[in-house]
Amino acid sequence: MSDTTRVKCTVYVGGLDNSVTKAVLHQAFVPFGEIIEVNIPSDDRASENHRGFGYVEFESQEDALAAIDNMDQALLAGRILNVAPAKPQKDVGNILGSKVAVWEQENWIRKYEVSEEDRAAAEQAKTEAMAKAVDPMQGLEGLDVAGPKPATE
């Protein structure tokens, strides 16, 4: 199953109570179709608590849509659920607000990197421009007098 198909079959479930486990979430969503996987991310600070949301991946997109239609705003363990289609996971290297400077991220480097051929062409153009040695003041003669020109009769 491709990543885009997998995302279309995955449902985000928000508003989970701390008492909800993978088994409870599985039992709540199994009436809507074959479930491939249930995932509840754990809290970084305490391993026994989760972050209050989870993901349920169904076998088909139709099953996922049925679960969204029937379980959004439903009650589970005394809490109202927010059920919606899951969004694709962000690419870690391109997160806005990342602590890594954009020019240090691999994708940015690959996109904007200058090839050796382009560097050589730029250096050659610079050398040719310097070889011409054009006086930068050329053509500015007569501009040393300020003000309006007197009318000639």
Side-chain angles (χ1 to χ4, degrees):
M1 184 182 300
S2 73
D3 286 341
T4 55
T5 306
R6 188 172 185 187
V7 167
K8 289 179 182 177
C9 297
T10 304
V11 172
Y12 164 83
V13 183
L16 296 177
D17 186 65
N18 279 335
S19 65
V20 175
T21 63
K22 287 183 180 183
V24 171
L25 198 57
H26 188 278
Q27 287 300 320
F29 281 85
V30 78
F32 305 106
E34 186 69 31
I35 294 176
I36 296 174
E37 182 182 10
V38 175
N39 185 12
I40 301 177
S42 63
D43 195 353
D44 293 338
R45 295 168 283 179
S47 61
E48 70 245 13
N49 292 335
H50 56 74
R51 296 168 61 186
F53 65 92
Y55 298 96
V56 179
E57 183 180 349
F58 287 93
E59 185 72 33
S60 73
Q61 187 177 359
E62 292 79 25
D63 296 341
L65 292 174
I68 293 167
D69 289 341
N70 290 291
M71 292 298 286
D72 189 33
Q73 302 302 308
L75 224 64
L76 180 66
R79 303 269 309 260
I80 296 175
L81 298 180
N82 178 17
V83 182
K87 295 179 181 175
Q89 191 172 11
K90 294 179 180 177
D91 185 11
V92 176
N94 288 331
I95 295 177
L96 186 60
S98 173
K99 293 182 180 178
V100 178
V102 68
W103 52 86
E104 291 179 357
Q105 295 175 3
E106 288 297 320
N107 292 342
W108 189 89
I109 291 171
R110 271 188 248 114
K111 184 175 179 180
Y112 294 103
E113 163 177 66
V114 178
S115 69
E116 288 302 317
E117 182 179 320
D118 289 341
R119 283 183 211 269
E123 190 63 36
Q124 181 180 1
K126 184 178 175 183
T127 305
E128 288 173 4
M130 296 292 276
K132 291 181 182 176
V134 176
D135 182 16
M137 301 302 284
Q138 183 180 2
L140 300 177
E141 298 86 13
L143 292 179
D144 55 345
V145 178
K149 293 184 178 178
T152 56
E153 293 182 42

